[in-house]
Amino acid sequence: MPNRLTTEIADLHLRNPTILAAGILGLTTATLQEAIKQGAGAVTTKSISLKPRQGYANPAIVQIDNHSLLNAMGLPNPGAKHFAKEIKELKRQRLHAPIIASVFGFTLDEFTHAAEILSKAGADAIELNISCPHVKKTGSEIGQNPNLVSKVVKQVKNTIKKPIIVKLTPNVADITEIATAAAKAGANAITATNTIRAMAIDIETHQPILANKIGGLSGQAVKPIAVRCVYEIYETVNVPIIGCGGITTWQDAVEFMLAGASAIQIGTAIASEGLGIFKSISKGIDAYLRNKNFRSVKEIIGQAHRH
Ligand SMILES: Cc1cc2nc3c(=O)[nH]c(=O)nc-3n(C[C@H](O)[C@H](O)[C@H](O)COP(=O)(O)O)c2cc1C
């Protein structure tokens, strides 16, 4: 693939702007490695906490339409110490794509320790998940409060020397207020967005379908909301943005970049399109750039703001 597609997020150099989103196939060396081999410009791990966590009972995922999912997995993960081994193994393979470790915690110290362990294991950047909509005392309970966002980002930033990416929730009245708090506290990049709080009810049994009742909506259904978030954040803060939410085609990726994203993450679409999606989206963006006479994908970032 020509270097028209290279892009940067903080200190991270990506051979193309496609990134595996957190929580989709990001729990083992093998799956992260496969995403890179299949063309991902970078990969994000499943969100990892200091201690192992079981997650919620099934049903934990419901298909909403062909391209949208509702999930309340409950952030199951093996804990930072165990997961550090997966990152070390992945780093040993010297693949040409940065590894972003997603972390979460129930206290400031848990965030920091998990980030420290995964950073030492070799993660190239840390993504702070302060945006999961269905686990209490973490996630969006932090990401909806600018003071807490500031505290978490500052403390992790003071401890870790790697770039800190802050993943925001769309479940707020004003996302620019939260983005500003993250940027002021030292965030090197912002991912927008995590899933949207949602639910589904079975009309035969009259019961909420998810065991947790409420979960997070992802996939094509959320795309226009995520595009709007990226657009508003780009107008407000001067840090690189990673667009995320419903990206299924190269046209979706271009739309996010025009709104202001320097790179994009892909999650739900992998379920319907497979890992080949990284290459097909890169190829589509490249053809678009060629047809429009752009020399670099960086030239289209934020172009929608000129109108
Ligand atoms: C099954 C599933 C698990 C997820 N797990 C995580 C997670 O562990 N951490 C996180 O930050 N986001 C998680 N997400 C959210 C995605 O990373 C992404 O922000 C969201 O799904 C929107 O992008 P998409 O429409 O491309 O999937 C998860 C999403 C799904 C569908």
Side-chain angles (χ1 to χ4, degrees), residues 59-80:
I61 302 195
V62 189
Q63 180 121 24
I64 296 296
D65 58 39
N66 283 343
H67 293 283
S68 308
L69 296 174
L70 176 61
N71 94 82
M73 305 291 292
L75 297 173
N77 77 89

Side-chain angles (χ1 to χ4, degrees), residues 21-24 46-47 61 69 71 73 75 102 127 129 167 193-195 218-219 222 244-247 265-268:
I24 292 97
K46 172 78 189 160
S47 289
I61 302 195
L69 296 174
N71 94 82
M73 305 291 292
L75 297 173
S102 170
E127 183 176 82
N129 177 1
K167 185 168 180 183
T193 66
N194 208 317
T195 54
S218 63
V222 309
C244 178
I247 295 167
Q265 290 183 353
I266 304 168
T268 301

Side-chain angles (χ1 to χ4, degrees), residues 48-50 80 103-104 109-119:
I48 303 295
S49 45
L50 187 60
V103 303
F104 72 99
D109 285 346
E110 281 185 14
F111 264 101
T112 317
H113 285 150
E116 228 176 345
I117 291 168
L118 300 180
S119 168

